[in-house]
């Protein structure tokens, strides 16, 4: 290790979601997904020589996922111990893709600190081993993640200049979610009667989403994204015991977005494994939508984001 290195990465928002693993160790999703990386929310991660401690937002933490990841990369690439200092400007573990941003920033910092010269595909593979959705945050713009022949392929579909969408992230709780994505996926696979049909529908949604994003067909993208999101939550609610990631404000935000759409604003929503709502907006209406969502009782914060860049080195 020549010196420390710091990298920045952003969360990505899946328009066609991944929920279910074919391989729990290699983190290979059972179905293809398609996302857009956002800006504004970010993880800054510094890798430095010395002890193998992990400082997250100023607190020393023992995170089994991060520990397994660092053990693995050190073993496979013969690296010495290194410390990690990571900070995020948004709540972690609450459905805002903090692990996606975190692992994408971490591998980018490790690559730089140890001068490993990884390709984007290699960084994406390493990020995926931490958290499958992190594979997509290596890239800016629109990205696909597809299981293929017992492995996985990530493709940068369109850069951030392809489409000037805005995303308003409505934060409805800063608490950590009670059931992690990994645990939730296992529970759904084992107990939800809707799991098999969910996987099949993801293949169909993915096939339809790609050309819809390519042709910037906002209405079609919104239709596919909303029904894909609601189907994922139906699978979760059908699990035993049921998994309900929403709170009352989640529904209130959906309601106000539907009213805005009825009034002619081009907007659609999506929700991940947590109670936060992401409103995707066309026509530069993001600031207006943010003001509306801020006024919904229970919304703690509404952040206006644009399509963002991929993970990158920020210095030492
Ligand atoms: O990569 P994970 O384990 O954080 O799971 C991500 C799951 C969703 O955010 C709900 C969907 C997705 O494709 O990002």
């Amino acid at each position: 290790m020549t010196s420390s290195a710091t990298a920045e990465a952003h969360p990505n928002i899946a328009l066609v979601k991944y929920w279910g693993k074919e391989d729990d160790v290699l983190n290979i999703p059972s179905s293809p997904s398609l996302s857009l990386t956002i800006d504004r929310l970010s993880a800054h991660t510094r890798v430095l020589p010395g002890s193998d401690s992990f400082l997250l937002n100023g607190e020393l933490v023992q995170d089994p996922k991060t520990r397994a990841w660092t053990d693995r990369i050190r073993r496979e690439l013969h690296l010495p111990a290194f410390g990690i200092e990571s900070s995020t400007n948004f709540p972690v573990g609450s459905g805002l893709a903090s692990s996606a941003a975190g692992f994408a920033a971490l591998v980018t910092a490790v690559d730089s600190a140890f001068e490993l010269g990884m390709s984007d595909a290699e960084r994406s593979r390493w990020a995926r081993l931490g958290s499958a959705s992190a594979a997509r945050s290596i890239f800016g713009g629109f990205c696909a993640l597809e299981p293929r022949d017992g492995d996985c392929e990530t493709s940068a579909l369109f850069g951030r200049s392809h489409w000037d969408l805005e995303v308003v992230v409505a934060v409805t709780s800063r608490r950590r979610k009670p059931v992690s994505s990994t645990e939730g996926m296992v529970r759904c696979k084992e107990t939800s009667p809707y799991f098999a049909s969910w996987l099949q529908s993801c293949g169909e949604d993915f096939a339809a989403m790609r050309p819809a994003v390519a042709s910037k067909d906002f209405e079609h993208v919104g239709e596919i994204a909303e029904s894909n999101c609601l189907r994922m939550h139906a699978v979760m609610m059908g699990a035993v015991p049921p998994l309900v990631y929403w709170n009352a404000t989640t529904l209130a935000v959906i309601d106000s977005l539907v009213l805005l759409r009825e009034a002619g604003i081009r907007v659609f929503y999506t929700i991940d494994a947590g109670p936060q709502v992401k409103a995707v907006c066309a026509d530069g209406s993001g600031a207006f939508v943010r003001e509306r969502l801020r006024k919904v009782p229970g919304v703690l914060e509404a952040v206006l984001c644009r399509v963002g860049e991929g993970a990158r080195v920020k210095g030492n």
Side-chain angles (χ1 to χ4, degrees):
M1 185 172 206
T2 51
S3 67
S4 61
T6 302
E8 179 179 14
H10 304 289
N12 65 81
I13 309 295
L15 300 175
V16 174
K17 307 211 181 275
Y18 126 72
W19 190 256
K21 295 180 195 189
E22 192 177 293
D23 185 318
D24 296 333
V25 178
L26 295 177
N27 260 349
I28 298 181
S30 299
S31 62
S33 56
L34 195 154
S35 65
L36 69 88
T37 299
I38 55 173
D39 67 3
R40 286 290 303 280
L41 305 186
S42 54
H44 274 91
T45 301
R46 182 163 180 243
V47 162
L48 58 166
S51 81
D52 58 0
S53 57
F54 178 26
L55 211 59
L56 177 60
N57 290 327
E59 272 180 41
L60 209 50
V61 289
Q62 299 291 338
D63 176 47
K65 250 174 142 179
T66 307
R67 163 60 61 170
W69 189 90
T70 47
D71 286 351
R72 182 179 191 136
I73 198 163
R74 282 186 53 198
R75 195 174 57 244
E76 285 192 21
L77 304 184
H78 311 288
L79 305 178
F82 55 86
I84 304 167
E85 290 173 5
S86 191
S87 60
T88 60
N89 62 356
F90 62 98
V92 295
S94 67
L96 288 171
S98 54
S99 61
F103 279 107
L106 177 58
V107 68
T108 303
V110 168
D111 178 40
S112 170
F114 291 101
E115 298 177 348
L116 300 172
M118 287 186 192
S119 64
D120 288 352
E122 283 169 311
R123 278 190 301 133
S124 180
R125 177 182 168 275
W126 275 107
R128 189 196 84 220
L129 291 169
S131 177
S133 57
R136 302 184 307 233
S137 275
I138 293 295
F139 302 98
F142 299 80
C143 183
L145 177 65
E146 295 169 86
R148 191 158 287 164
D149 307 324
D151 201 347
C152 215
E153 197 173 286
T154 323
S155 346
L157 297 178
F158 306 101
R160 60 200 292 239
S161 59
H162 172 66
W163 202 358
D164 56 356
L165 294 176
E166 293 171 307
V167 180
V168 178
V169 179
V171 179
T172 67
S173 166
R174 296 197 178 94
R175 280 207 301 249
R176 262 190 186 271
K177 56 191 165 200
V179 179
S180 72
S181 298
T182 302
E183 200 183 326
M185 286 184 207
V186 171
R187 191 187 298 178
C188 287
K189 188 173 180 176
E190 288 175 354
T191 67
S192 181
Y194 313 128
F195 190 75
S197 48
W198 153 250
L199 290 187
Q200 189 187 331
S201 74
C202 282
E204 291 158 14
D205 287 346
F206 180 79
M209 184 61 89
R210 246 178 125 126
V213 170
S215 62
K216 299 191 254 186
D217 183 341
F218 187 82
E219 275 65 34
H220 197 203
V221 168
E223 263 168 42
I224 304 165
E226 281 188 4
S227 67
N228 181 268
C229 156
L230 293 176
R231 244 182 278 117
M232 178 181 78
H233 286 275
V235 173
M236 295 163 167
M237 290 177 197
V240 185
L243 265 174
V244 182
Y245 282 110
W246 298 3
N247 59 29
T249 311
T250 313
L251 276 171
V253 173
I254 293 179
D255 207 36
S256 81
L257 290 170
V258 170
L259 287 176
L260 281 176
R261 189 154 64 207
E262 281 168 8
I265 305 292
R266 294 167 80 217
V267 62
F268 67 83
Y269 60 84
T270 186
I271 304 156
D272 292 294
Q276 336 294 1
V277 183
K278 290 97 183 193
V280 182
C281 314
D283 314 320
S285 61
F288 177 76
V289 170
R290 178 187 55 187
E291 287 320 303
R292 280 302 182 93
L293 296 188
R294 269 188 178 159
K295 294 192 182 105
V296 175
V299 169
L300 305 175
E301 190 184 354
V303 186
L304 175 57
C305 308
R306 294 192 168 73
V307 182
E309 290 176 63
R312 58 214 180 273
V313 176
K314 297 292 279 190
N316 288 334

